[in-house]
Amino acid sequence: MAASIFLVLVGCNGSPKIEEGPPADSLATVEKDASVDVTDVVIDATPSMRGFADGPRYQNFVTQSLANASVASERVEYHQLTTALPGGLQAVDQKMRAAESTFYARGNTELSTALDSLDRDGLTVLLTDLFQSSADMNAVSRAIARQALDQGLAVGVIASRFQFDGRVYDVGPDGRAFDFNGQRPLYGLVFGLPRAVSDYFENLREFVDPERYHFLLFSSRVAEQPGRVQIRDSDPIRNLVRVKPQADVPLPSTQTLGLRIRDNNISARLSAQLDLDVLPDVRPLLSSESLAAKVTKVWKRDAQSGTYVGEFEERSRAKGALCIRAVQNDSSRLRLRIRPEDLRRGFYTFNTTVDVRKWELPQWVSDWNLPPSEFQAETPDGSKTANLHSFLLDLGSGLTNTGGPRIAALQVYVEKQ
């Protein structure tokens, strides 16, 4: 006996019973183009930002680089964020005011205020030191999930250290304050459609020294193109030979890989290359434990009518006949294991997906994070940011709690003769 397996990459919606090849699970890719009407630069005017104001590099970054990177925008508008003003936001008539220390003398801020009017047709760049109380940061995380991620917007993070000479506020649960002179972290939170945020990052790199900056992008859509599976001559294959798909097999895509099991009494294994085309600033968030592959549905083709049915008596056993795993290291791999003994004679289609199961924060986040154990130090380390690690974890959790961004929708066709 022999079993033929065909691996196909497609992405469309399904139905319970059809006469042509069964459709794969849906896969939403990043939009090709994203025009931006307005880029709103919102500057956190809390007093703890005042120590940046006299630094030439900061002045150039806030008044020139952030605006110059908005090449796709019709216009750029600056705003001051402070609770000392009604509504929390104040339009700035001259962006150069952000380079003056008096700009940051208006009292505490609530970052979530800047999220109340996010525009899908624009970009919002929120410049902040992220120094908020733990309760305030939790509120910010919830607001980002509600106002941005749940609405299909991406959240980009720009991070760099700038010269600082001043007082730092809101450290730890007691809201401690201390003086600091040195290189202190500054962050830009960028909200917009995934393509628009990615393009903004690419443009910004042209106006800064990219070696001094970190870029991260959180989004429910991360794939620019559906992933592709390739079997190379060096790939380990057990109990399988490659064959061309049979002409009478109704495949919904021409992107196929055909395999045949040599012996139906022995399990078959395959490790193939999984080529991912994801937004570049998503890649630093992916590790060897990031990707999860699973079988979502099994279709069986009726031998007489040729129709595919998504529910049948053998489903539970047939679904377990294929085990699939995705791993991400320097290059991604897709690993298949097939148990022919769990399949009766017939033609099966396994719908499978590859999703981002968890985000792996890069090492610099840990290096820049001020842990709670240091909140009570006589002089906390001003080169670090309180709650940074937990804040970024919350951003990622807001996406993976509902299944995670999908990067590939595959189909495995198995025929047991």
Side-chain angles (χ1 to χ4, degrees), residues 146-209:
R146 181 178 64 254
Q147 302 290 93
L149 298 177
D150 291 350
Q151 306 303 317
L153 299 181
V155 181
V157 179
I158 309 166
S160 185
R161 283 180 169 135
F162 290 81
Q163 179 60 38
F164 183 91
D165 186 4
R167 194 161 182 81
V168 181
Y169 297 84
D170 295 322
V171 181
D174 299 331
R176 294 184 59 199
F178 64 95
D179 293 325
F180 179 73
N181 187 332
Q183 294 291 312
R184 183 167 179 248
L186 180 72
Y187 305 91
L189 304 181
V190 185
F191 304 90
L193 292 175
R195 171 64 62 192
V197 176
S198 182
D199 288 350
Y200 184 80
F201 281 1
E202 182 179 357
N203 294 334
L204 183 59
R205 287 182 171 96
E206 298 295 323
F207 298 100
V208 299
D209 178 1

Side-chain angles (χ1 to χ4, degrees), residues 346-407:
F347 196 90
Y348 299 84
T349 301
F350 296 84
N351 275 20
T352 66
T353 60
V354 181
D355 303 318
V356 178
R357 174 176 58 186
K358 61 180 292 189
W359 305 99
E360 188 72 26
L361 298 180
Q363 182 60 43
W364 71 263
V365 175
S366 297
D367 295 340
W368 289 26
N369 184 64
L370 183 68
S373 60
E374 298 182 21
F375 288 171
Q376 301 302 321
E378 182 177 351
T379 303
D381 188 348
S383 68
K384 297 182 179 181
T385 302
N387 303 310
L388 175 64
H389 193 272
S390 59
F391 171 68
L392 295 180
L393 280 181
D394 286 344
L395 287 186
S397 298
L399 293 167
T400 55
N401 285 343
T402 57
R406 180 160 298 166
I407 58 176

Side-chain angles (χ1 to χ4, degrees), residues 13-156:
N13 294 322
S15 57
K17 186 175 181 179
I18 57 175
E19 295 187 2
E20 296 181 352
D25 289 24
S26 62
L27 172 63
T29 56
V30 176
E31 60 279 352
K32 298 295 183 182
D33 299 296
S35 59
V36 177
D37 293 339
V38 182
T39 296
D40 291 303
V41 179
V42 180
I43 303 171
D44 184 1
T46 179
S48 67
M49 290 275 289
R50 191 184 309 157
F52 290 115
D54 292 334
R57 180 167 159 257
Y58 173 82
Q59 293 173 351
N60 183 74
F61 177 73
V62 69
T63 64
Q64 302 298 323
S65 300
L66 293 180
N68 292 339
S70 305
V71 293
S73 300
E74 295 182 4
R75 65 184 187 276
V76 180
E77 297 180 354
Y78 277 69
H79 306 268
Q80 183 185 46
L81 175 64
T82 171
T83 54
L85 297 171
L89 282 178
Q90 170 78 31
V92 179
D93 54 356
Q94 294 182 349
K95 63 182 181 180
M96 294 305 297
R97 288 183 53 207
E100 302 171 358
S101 60
T102 54
F103 184 87
Y104 305 92
R106 294 295 193 94
N108 295 329
T109 58
E110 295 179 2
L111 297 183
S112 55
T113 303
L115 309 179
D116 291 338
S117 57
L118 295 180
D119 184 2
R120 289 182 61 87
D121 295 324
L123 277 177
T124 298
V125 182
L126 174 57
L127 194 66
T128 175
D129 62 355
L130 281 181
F131 262 70
Q132 306 261 301
S133 69
S134 297
D136 288 342
M137 286 307 296
N138 290 335
V140 172
S141 298
R142 292 193 299 269
I144 289 176
R146 181 178 64 254
Q147 302 290 93
L149 298 177
D150 291 350
Q151 306 303 317
L153 299 181
V155 181

